Amino acid sequence: MMRLDRYLSEMGIGTRKKIKEMVRGGRITVDGSIAKNSDIRVDENVAVVCLDGKELSFNTFEYFLLNKPKGVVSATTDSVHKTVLELITETKRKDLFPVGRLDIDTEGLLLITNDGDLSHRLLAPGKHVDKCYEAVILGEVTEDDIRTFSEGMEIPDEKGSISLEPAGLVILESFDSYNEENEELLSGLSINLDMAADSLERDGAEKAKYSRVRITIHEGKYHQIKRMFEAVGKRVVYLKRISMGSLTLPDDLNTGEYKRLTKEEVYADLSL
Ligand code: URA
């Protein structure tokens, strides 16, 4: 159940003031009767609400799979940066939110919805689904790192340290620095690679190398992947989420683009 004015506002038909005027003008009916007040309660799942005789269909839940670009924050409002919600132009709903967060400089799969129950199921401790990322790491990733990640590692935390669940790490390739093939990839990265490589070399590495990896984590701790690599003396210079459960980022979905999903697709794909 929800208040009529909230229902109408979520349908995007106008400001609170406009909605009040519409109700006062007798333009809104609920189940065939003219609504006298905008604070009456309606059941959003079954009520038939009409404006000027035309039914408004309250599409209870919406789901969007966004390929988040860098520079955009996973929040509903922000006074400085653009939010992921501003990229979803094909909705009038005011109650959408991102399911979990990707860092401002992380790209890739982000679900945007107004389905709080789904969000809870995906984020509640003990109910996490696997999240797979592709990353470029400054520093050569080794078999030792694979073992450390797979055994469940400790990372520093403000409380001392926290233990992580085992994570899957696959090395896709390692390279010295620029070559024609990786130039495009590296040029799109968010940090100054020369400066980062210099500092790594000063820290004792002979010649900074990079590795491209795929990493699968189960939890979703704050900056988790960056902190995991930091704990083994390396640095994430590019990060993109490519899947969450069996929901995968489509190859043809460019950064900044999104695709609408049905409830059935979301629930089936996430095996919830
Ligand atoms: N781990 C990170 O460090 N950042 C993200 O955005 C996601 C996972």
Side-chain angles (χ1 to χ4, degrees):
M1 295 289 276
M2 68 201 299
R3 276 174 59 133
L4 178 62
D5 47 8
R6 187 171 146 225
Y7 178 107
L8 295 170
S9 149
E10 284 184 15
M11 295 291 303
I13 65 162
T15 59
R16 289 261 160 160
K17 190 164 165 247
K18 277 239 165 68
I19 287 169
K20 254 205 169 104
E21 282 167 15
M22 286 174 186
V23 174
R24 262 199 229 115
R27 296 171 60 193
I28 305 286
T29 58
V30 177
D31 296 331
S33 313
I34 292 177
K36 297 206 170 62
N37 260 307
S38 54
D39 63 358
I40 59 168
R41 295 184 82 75
V42 295
D43 182 343
E44 69 276 16
N45 296 310
V46 293
V48 178
V49 180
C50 299
L51 165 63
D52 298 332
K54 243 180 88 192
E55 186 175 342
L56 302 167
S57 65
F58 192 87
N59 185 1
T60 314
F61 293 128
E62 288 194 317
Y63 305 89
F64 299 95
L65 190 161
L66 170 72
N67 185 350
K68 178 191 169 299
K70 277 185 211 130
V72 173
V73 289
S74 306
T76 49
T77 57
D78 193 277
S79 53
V80 179
H81 297 103
K82 198 168 185 172
T83 69
V84 287
L85 294 188
E86 290 173 60
L87 299 174
I88 309 291
T89 52
E90 201 195 300
T91 183
K92 290 187 166 157
R93 299 203 63 110
K94 302 270 189 290
D95 58 348
L96 294 175
F97 59 88
V99 176
R101 280 163 190 265
L102 290 178
D103 295 339
I104 187 162
D105 54 0
T106 301
E107 296 180 355
L109 187 153
L110 187 65
L111 256 183
I112 312 267
T113 185
N114 57 335
D115 182 346
D117 186 45
L118 170 74
S119 173
H120 177 74
R121 290 205 215 184
L122 287 171
L123 303 177
K127 295 191 177 172
H128 292 287
V129 296
D130 280 350
K131 288 159 284 273
C132 184
Y133 295 80
E134 247 181 54
V136 177
I137 307 301
L138 177 59
E140 189 176 11
V141 177
T142 63
E143 295 296 319
D144 271 352
D145 298 330
I146 296 180
R147 205 167 317 114
T148 306
F149 281 25
S150 74
E151 284 167 357
M153 63 195 292
E154 299 255 318
I155 54 171
D157 191 49
E158 65 262 27
K159 292 181 214 106
S161 71
I162 49 168
S163 309
L164 298 177
E165 290 176 35
L169 179 58
V170 175
I171 302 169
L172 301 174
E173 59 176 332
S174 288
F175 41 88
D176 283 335
S177 64
Y178 295 89
N179 64 37
E180 258 168 38
E181 257 170 51
N182 65 38
E183 196 175 331
E184 197 187 323
L185 173 70
L186 292 174
S187 67
L189 304 183
S190 51
I191 63 162
N192 183 325
L193 287 175
D194 289 337
M195 269 169 59
D198 277 355
S199 75
L200 197 78
E201 282 162 26
R202 268 201 307 278
D203 284 351
E206 280 178 9
K207 178 93 192 91
K209 290 196 174 191
Y210 301 92
S211 294
R212 205 162 64 80
V213 300
R214 188 164 292 160
I215 169 161
T216 306
I217 58 173
H218 199 60
E219 310 122 295
K221 303 261 191 267
Y222 184 62
H223 292 332
Q224 181 169 336
I225 294 179
K226 292 176 183 162
R227 289 161 69 198
M228 290 169 80
F229 281 101
E230 243 163 59
V232 293
K234 284 151 202 155
R235 184 156 167 197
V236 173
V237 291
Y238 173 79
L239 190 60
K240 175 179 192 167
R241 181 153 67 191
I242 52 175
S243 71
M244 192 166 168
S246 47
L247 215 54
T248 305
L249 194 65
D251 284 340
D252 58 357
L253 195 69
N254 295 323
T255 48
E257 291 182 349
Y258 63 86
K259 142 177 197 217
R260 188 187 276 275
L261 300 177
T262 63
K263 181 169 186 174
E264 289 68 34
E265 283 172 314
V266 173
Y267 277 77
D269 265 349
L270 292 169
S271 355
L272 294 170

